[in-house]
């Protein structure tokens, strides 16, 4: 009889160990970091994907290379979502269900990306001209989702300790890196110079896979982000249920003890001792000079990294070569999460240090703006030193400001939930101001000149 029961006992023991391991894995810190990074990845991956896929879609859609101008305007209109969330927080504090808003915008993004993959090339006739109305409509949806994420995702992170804010920014760096890597594998923007009837003309090479596949990749990434957020919510609810059960059991045990021995361990019956209000420290205002300084630094850094410099990146790199452009984009986007990872271990809290850091990034930004202004004949053209200098400048510029943004986000996390909301507003406001400033300079006044491919643009200089 005992021999028959022994294998069953071993099976039960093994099953219990497996369940315990699953519970430990589900509650592990490493999984929390991973889920937060994947959740944050979905914040701007849709808009970033549109920008890197532009060289492919402009050859199909009727707007051609006027499409970037449309994208800039639609992204600006996407701020309506961020404004609506901000006004709701102001007019009805504590009434907005952040979980529900995040779930809604994530589902909206997944559905829009799937429909984009199916119908992105469809056009309609508007006022007698062919227009890519479907592509522009889904672009607006993506812009609405991304802009709203800045004022919902960051306040949600207040539920976690400050080190997870740095993981969040690492995930946001992935939202730029992953589309760039896939676009490189796709072979976006590759061309050859061919002699046709005595004249050299550029011939763009066919991509390794079509834009439809790229948008399906985007749909998968957004789905992963949405599932990661769902997992975070499930883990929080389970943790709260367990803690509530433990507190309930502890309270029941204490009540039983007090009923049996009301004076044990110095206790007194409730009726014999009046309750005393604990002295609370006076509430401190958020609007200190340091916090205002941090918000201004955050707005300026995002104006440069999300608005000003991306508008002229092609002018700074393409005169050297297409490879220079791809290297600066990919290595710059790798520098972003690496800088965020560095902030996991080193946090610069000095206001003076943060100012020096921003000035250093601003110096590289000024050099890159000078290269854009001198396009299509920048200094050291045709020299390997020129290529190295522009690529290194993009890497350091992106790395410094990425680190700056993570540090400021960490410091504002310590100031409370409302501070993280203001953090998101500053990011969005800076990005919007930067984009609106550069839009007329690039698309209306044509301050920056783009050279022609396969042509010596500097022979007259």
């Amino acid at each position: 009889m005992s021999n028959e029961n022994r294998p069953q006992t071993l099976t039960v023991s093994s099953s219990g160990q497996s369940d315990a391991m699953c519970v430990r894995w589900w509650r592990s810190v490493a999984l929390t970091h991973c889920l937060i990074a994947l959740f944050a990845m979905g914040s701007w991956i849709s808009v970033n994907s549109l920008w890197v896929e532009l060289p492919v879609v402009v050859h199909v859609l009727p707007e051609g290379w006027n499409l970037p101008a449309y994208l800039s305007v639609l992204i600006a209109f996407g701020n309506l979502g961020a404004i609506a969330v901000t006004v709701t927080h102001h007019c009805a504090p504590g009434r907005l269900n952040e979980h529900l808003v995040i779930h809604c915008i994530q589902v909206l993004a997944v559905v829009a990306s799937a429909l984009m993959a199916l119908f992105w090339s469809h056009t309609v006739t508007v006022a007698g001209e062919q227009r890519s109305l479907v592509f522009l409509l889904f672009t607006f949806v993506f812009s609405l989702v991304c802009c709203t994420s800045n004022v919902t995702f960051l306040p949600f992170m207040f539920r976690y300790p400050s080190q997870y804010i740095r993981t969040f920014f690492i995930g946001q760096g992935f939202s730029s890196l992953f589309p760039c890597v896939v676009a490189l594998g796709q072979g976006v923007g590759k061309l050859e110079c061919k002699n046709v009837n005595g004249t050299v003309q550029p011939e763009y090479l066919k991509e390794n896979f079509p834009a439809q596949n790229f948008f399906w990749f985007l749909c998968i990434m957004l789905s992963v982000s949405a599932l990661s957020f769902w997992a975070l919510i499930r883990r929080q609810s389970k943790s709260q249920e367990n803690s509530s059960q433990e507190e309930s059991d502890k309270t029941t045990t204490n009540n039983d003890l007090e009923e049996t021995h009301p004076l044990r361990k110095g206790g007194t019956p409730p009726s014999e001792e009046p309750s005393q209000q604990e002295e609370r420290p006076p509430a401190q205002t958020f609007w200190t000079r340091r916090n205002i300084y941090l918000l201004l630094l955050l707005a300026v850094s995002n104006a440069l990294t999300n608005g000003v410099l991306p508008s002229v990146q092609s002018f700074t790199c393409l005169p050297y070569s297409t490879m220079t452009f791809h290297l600066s984009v990919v290595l710059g986007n790798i520098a972003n999460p690496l800088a965020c990872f560095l902030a996991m271990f080193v946090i610069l809290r000095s206001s003076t240090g943060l100012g020096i850091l921003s000035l250093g990034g601003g110096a590289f930004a000024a050099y890159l703006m000078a290269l854009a202004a001198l396009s299509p004949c920048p200094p050291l053209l045709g020299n390997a030193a020129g290529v190295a200098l522009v690529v290194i400048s993009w890497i350091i510029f992106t790395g410094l400001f990425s680190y700056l943004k993570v540090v400021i986000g960490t410091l504002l996390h310590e100031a409370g939930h409302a501070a993280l909301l203001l953090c998101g507003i500053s990011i969005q406001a800076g990005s919007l101001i930067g984009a609106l400033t550069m839009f007329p300079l690039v698309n209306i006044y044509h301050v920056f000149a783009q050279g022609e491919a396969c042509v010596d643009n500097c022979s007259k200089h």
Side-chain angles (χ1 to χ4, degrees), residues 378-453:
L380 300 175
L381 188 63
N383 193 321
V387 173
L389 198 54
V390 67
V391 172
I392 291 171
S393 296
W394 272 106
I395 293 171
I396 297 177
F397 162 76
T398 306
L400 287 177
F401 278 115
S402 297
Y403 178 81
L404 184 72
K405 287 187 281 186
V406 179
V407 171
I408 294 176
T410 302
L411 296 177
L412 292 177
H413 177 276
E414 298 169 0
H417 178 274
L420 285 179
L421 175 63
L422 290 170
C423 177
I425 293 172
S426 294
I427 291 173
Q428 201 53 44
S431 303
L432 177 62
I433 292 170
L436 292 180
T437 301
M438 296 304 295
F439 177 78
L441 297 178
V442 175
N443 298 289
I444 298 176
Y445 299 110
H446 302 289
V447 173
F448 306 97
Q450 189 73 272
E452 296 181 22

Side-chain angles (χ1 to χ4, degrees), residues 115-350:
L115 293 174
M116 176 77 96
L118 294 172
F119 304 111
W120 73 272
S121 59
H122 286 230
T123 59
V124 296
T125 304
V126 178
E129 294 185 2
Q130 289 292 309
R131 295 292 180 190
S132 53
L133 190 61
V134 175
F135 183 88
L136 295 175
L137 174 64
F138 291 134
T139 297
F140 172 71
V141 172
F142 288 146
S143 304
L144 192 71
V145 167
C146 292
C147 294
T148 308
S149 72
N150 270 346
V151 292
T152 51
F153 286 20
L154 270 172
F156 167 77
M157 290 303 300
F158 182 66
R159 293 163 174 80
Y160 294 91
S162 59
Q163 65 263 28
Y164 290 105
I165 278 285
R166 300 158 214 171
T167 304
F168 178 86
F169 281 103
I170 291 175
Q172 280 199 328
F174 291 156
S175 71
S176 299
L177 177 61
F178 290 165
C180 285
V181 172
V182 174
L184 280 178
Q186 187 184 16
V188 172
K190 287 186 177 180
L191 59 84
E192 287 183 352
C193 298
K194 290 194 172 182
N195 197 323
V196 180
N197 297 328
T199 60
V200 179
Q201 295 180 358
E203 179 180 331
Y204 287 91
L205 303 180
K206 186 176 177 60
E207 293 80 25
N208 297 325
F209 53 86
Q212 183 180 19
N213 292 10
F214 184 90
F215 290 128
W216 281 122
F217 154 79
L218 173 61
C219 182
I220 293 171
M221 290 293 100
L222 288 169
S223 300
V224 169
S225 177
L227 289 173
S228 299
F229 178 68
W230 175 82
L232 288 171
I233 297 300
R234 289 286 298 170
R235 294 169 89 244
Q236 279 189 346
S237 61
K238 285 287 185 183
S239 176
Q240 289 172 358
E241 288 175 7
N242 293 336
S243 60
S244 298
Q245 183 64 38
E246 289 175 3
E247 289 178 5
S248 176
D249 294 342
K250 189 182 295 183
T251 302
T252 303
T253 304
N254 291 339
N255 289 341
D256 292 342
L257 287 172
E258 288 176 4
E259 289 176 4
T260 308
H261 305 286
L263 300 179
R264 179 176 290 181
K265 294 184 180 179
T268 58
S271 58
E272 294 182 9
E273 184 176 328
S275 60
Q276 296 180 351
Q277 291 279 346
E278 292 184 3
E279 293 185 3
R280 297 182 178 178
Q284 295 182 350
T285 177
F286 170 79
W287 297 106
T288 62
R289 292 175 62 183
R290 174 176 168 80
N291 287 342
I292 293 173
Y293 171 72
L294 292 177
L295 289 176
L296 287 175
L297 272 185
L298 190 63
V300 171
S301 63
N302 279 277
L304 291 173
T305 56
N306 298 340
V308 177
L309 269 299
S311 301
V312 298
Q313 187 163 20
S314 60
F315 299 102
T316 64
C317 301
L318 285 179
Y320 293 97
S321 68
T322 306
M323 181 56 66
T324 304
F325 176 76
H326 286 310
L327 283 175
S328 64
V329 169
V330 174
L331 295 180
N333 284 319
I334 291 174
N336 186 341
L338 286 179
C340 299
F341 184 73
L342 175 64
M344 298 283 287
F345 308 100
V346 182
I347 290 292
L348 183 63
R349 294 179 174 272
S350 166

